Amino acid sequence: MRKLQYYGMATFSLAVFLLIWQTAAFSKLVELPAPWETAKTFFDLVVRGDPFYEKTLQELTLASLKMVLAGCCLSLLVGLPLGILMGSWPKLEIFANTVLEMLRPIPPLAWIPLGYVLFARMEAPTFWVQLLIVFVGSFFPILLSTVEGVKNVEKIYLDVARSCGAPQRDILFKVRLPAAAPLIITGVRVGLGVGWMSIIAAEFVGGKTGIGYYIWSVYNIGGRTAEIISGMIAIGLVSFLLNKSVLFLEKRLTPWRFC
């Protein structure tokens, strides 16, 4: 029953959104194509691709997605162990926070000029700059969620493990990490979202591939609104699927939370 209510409400909200869109397009108050025109353009881009760029919408989107997954995996490889160490040893957290809290407020896009300086001698500097932007965007949510998850493990769990003679290794991998897993996964969800937004924005100002580059390019060559909106729809769909994938993984890794 709850699922029927959920899908019914979701369908109703989508219908209301399309009605507002159609009304705005019909009124000519703004230069918007009608929903059916955009749907036709979206379908053509998926099936035939853009004749000017000779790529389909999914190829353009996949190029951005690969960069996001690479950058987020790198963030996870660095942020997860660092977060575990910072959450387990307060002195290390105090030491690292001095620098991290100065870097965290800097927007990912502000790293672009420095990135081009750092990677100027690399064979493909734009690739490394975009990887850096995604890494910066996704790193801090993963790191902070891991630190908080490890720090906030209930003390009674740790006391029981110690009283039973569990070694530090078992306390870490069998007590701290399972208890911190929900917060860590939340950090991964947020990190993926920020990384996805970061790569789209980064492609606006550099690079020759990706869905962000495509949206900015079709705007510059004549404001092809239907193509722009089609690209935005693709971005939204990928973001939705990424979020659902992490939620699916969360249910598998922490089944006790959904009993």
Side-chain angles (χ1 to χ4, degrees), residues 1 9 20 34 49-50 60 86 94 101 127-128 147 161 171 187 201 205 211 213 225 228 240 245 258:
M1 181 62 70
M9 187 60 68
I20 295 173
D50 191 301
L60 292 162
M86 290 173 62
I94 296 171
E101 286 303 312
F127 169 85
W128 296 104
V147 172
I171 292 175
V205 296
I211 190 65
Y213 162 74
T225 313
I228 293 173
F240 176 81
S245 298
F258 302 92

Side-chain angles (χ1 to χ4, degrees), residues 2-56:
R2 288 184 177 179
K3 283 189 176 181
L4 287 175
Q5 290 177 343
Y6 171 81
Y7 289 121
M9 187 60 68
T11 302
F12 177 69
S13 66
L14 181 60
V16 171
F17 173 75
L18 292 175
L19 179 61
I20 295 173
W21 182 356
Q22 177 63 46
T23 302
F26 181 78
S27 67
K28 302 299 182 182
L29 292 175
V30 290
E31 291 295 328
L32 275 178
W36 66 269
E37 295 178 45
T38 304
K40 180 180 180 301
T41 300
F42 184 89
F43 180 79
D44 288 341
L45 288 173
V46 169
V47 175
R48 302 182 184 87
D50 191 301
F52 184 77
Y53 294 93
E54 298 182 345
K55 288 186 178 180
T56 61

Side-chain angles (χ1 to χ4, degrees), residues 240-258:
F240 176 81
L241 292 174
L242 285 174
N243 186 59
K244 287 295 183 181
S245 298
V246 177
L247 286 175
F248 176 82
L249 182 63
E250 182 180 17
K251 289 181 179 180
R252 294 297 178 272
L253 294 177
T254 59
W256 63 87
R257 299 186 62 224
F258 302 92

Side-chain angles (χ1 to χ4, degrees), residues 172-249:
L172 174 61
F173 288 101
K174 296 182 179 180
V175 180
R176 283 189 182 274
L177 286 183
L183 263 179
I184 293 173
I185 294 173
T186 298
V188 173
R189 285 178 60 196
V190 175
L192 272 173
V194 177
W196 183 239
M197 290 186 289
S198 298
I199 190 60
I200 300 302
E203 289 170 348
F204 281 174
V205 296
K208 297 296 181 182
T209 59
I211 190 65
Y213 162 74
Y214 175 72
I215 290 174
W216 191 250
S217 296
V218 294
Y219 163 74
N220 282 329
I221 64 175
R224 295 158 58 186
T225 313
E227 282 83 353
I228 293 173
I229 296 176
S230 295
M232 294 171 65
I233 292 172
I235 292 171
L237 287 174
V238 170
S239 181
F240 176 81
L241 292 174
L242 285 174
N243 186 59
K244 287 295 183 181
S245 298
V246 177
L247 286 175
F248 176 82
L249 182 63

